[in-house]
Amino acid sequence: NAGVTQTPKFQVLKTGQSMTLQCAQDMNHNSMYWYRQDPGMGLRLIYYSASEGTTDKGEVPNGYNVSRLNKREFSLRLESAAPSQTSVYFCASSELGAGRSPLHFGNGTRLTVT
Amino acid sequence: EDKVVQSPLSLVVHEGDTVTLNCSYEVTNFRSLLWYKQEKKAPTFLFMLTSSGIEKKSGRLSSILDKKELSSILNITATQTGDSAIYLCAFYFIQGAQKLVFGQGTRLTINP
């Protein structure tokens, strides 16, 4: 029962470094999402992929890129990390899309940019 | 801007108490409302109510949608220490671009 798996769990970057957060789901869901969670601000959508081969911007896409590698995998890339990107990042998937069926979340990646 | 506001932001009660958490929204055109519980890591799904639905129940937890007041409440009766968590609500709006918007969350602490 893996569900949604994110790697790494923790990461520390210096300003300007790049990295990719990996996400994979084994539930055969069509839709996948990347959120960030900051204190007092709830979850904010960065990018999403409604189906394999498509990606769209969410509320806070600046500074990020995504790749929907196949139906299972959806990665998030920070090209040049900034301290403002210090956050907890969650990947999620949904069978029918957010709003039609629940989101299933991974355990998160805690990213610190110094 | 579509907005979802939760209250209170933080709540501390004793085991056995009943709590009511509130989630209000500022846009009337929505498809569904979802509640999640977040303990240490990933949020886990509790309820989904559609705009045509009114109440859902699961054990000690229940959620009601009040379309007149543009809000939803999550009730937890006979609270237990295991109910301590952050509770998140989210509305799926269908005005303009369809999107799921989360509230800030309510941090609930149950003391023994």
Side-chain angles (χ1 to χ4, degrees):
Chain A
N1 291 343
V4 179
T5 304
Q6 288 183 237
T7 55
K9 292 180 183 172
F10 301 94
Q11 184 72 48
V12 179
L13 292 178
K14 292 187 176 172
T15 298
Q17 288 184 317
S18 62
M19 78 160 295
T20 300
L21 282 65
Q22 307 287 353
C23 175
Q25 51 94 7
D26 63 1
M27 296 173 283
N28 203 36
H29 286 171
N30 286 313
S31 303
M32 297 186 73
Y33 306 81
W34 276 104
Y35 286 89
R36 60 178 288 174
Q37 186 174 35
D38 301 295
M41 301 193 73
L43 288 159
R44 292 183 293 167
L45 182 64
I46 304 170
Y47 270 93
Y48 67 100
S49 170
S51 60
E52 187 179 354
T54 69
T55 60
D56 282 289
K57 294 178 181 179
E59 296 174 71
V60 289
N62 292 344
Y64 305 95
N65 282 303
V66 290
S67 295
R68 182 76 183 264
L69 304 168
N70 48 54
K71 192 169 186 178
R72 289 187 64 246
E73 298 172 286
F74 188 38
S75 62
L76 178 72
R77 183 160 178 83
L78 286 70
E79 291 291 351
S80 179
S84 61
Q85 294 177 305
T86 293
S87 188
V88 180
Y89 291 85
F90 287 100
C91 177
S93 70
S94 174
E95 182 181 6
L96 301 175
R100 288 191 172 85
S101 61
L103 293 172
H104 296 261
F105 287 89
N107 282 332
T109 295
R110 186 173 292 276
L111 175 67
T112 302
V113 183
T114 61
Chain B
E1 184 182 312
D2 302 319
K3 204 168 175 190
V4 178
V5 178
Q6 291 187 245
S7 62
L9 293 180
S10 180
L11 183 61
V12 181
V13 300
H14 290 293
E15 201 168 20
D17 288 350
T18 293
V19 298
T20 298
L21 310 182
N22 189 274
C23 177
S24 64
Y25 53 99
E26 296 184 356
V27 178
T28 56
N29 203 8
F30 71 96
R31 172 175 288 146
S32 56
L33 154 74
L34 299 95
W35 282 96
Y36 288 86
K37 177 183 181 182
Q38 184 177 22
E39 296 176 83
K40 295 196 174 164
K41 295 182 180 177
T44 54
F45 171 72
L46 292 174
F47 295 112
M48 181 164 76
L49 292 91
T50 65
S51 60
S52 58
I54 298 178
E55 183 175 11
K56 283 265 176 92
K57 274 190 175 183
S58 176
R60 297 178 295 104
L61 278 68
S62 62
S63 180
I64 300 170
L65 183 61
D66 186 336
K67 284 180 271 190
K68 204 170 169 184
E69 296 295 324
L70 302 185
S71 69
S72 173
I73 59 171
L74 177 68
N75 273 323
I76 309 175
T77 60
T79 52
Q80 302 168 359
T81 54
D83 294 327
S84 295
I86 295 173
Y87 289 84
L88 297 162
C89 70
F91 277 86
Y92 188 73
F93 295 110
I94 53 175
Q95 183 167 311
Q98 297 186 12
K99 55 184 177 179
L100 187 68
V101 179
F102 281 84
Q104 325 94 299
T106 293
R107 182 179 292 276
L108 175 65
T109 303
I110 311 295
N111 287 328

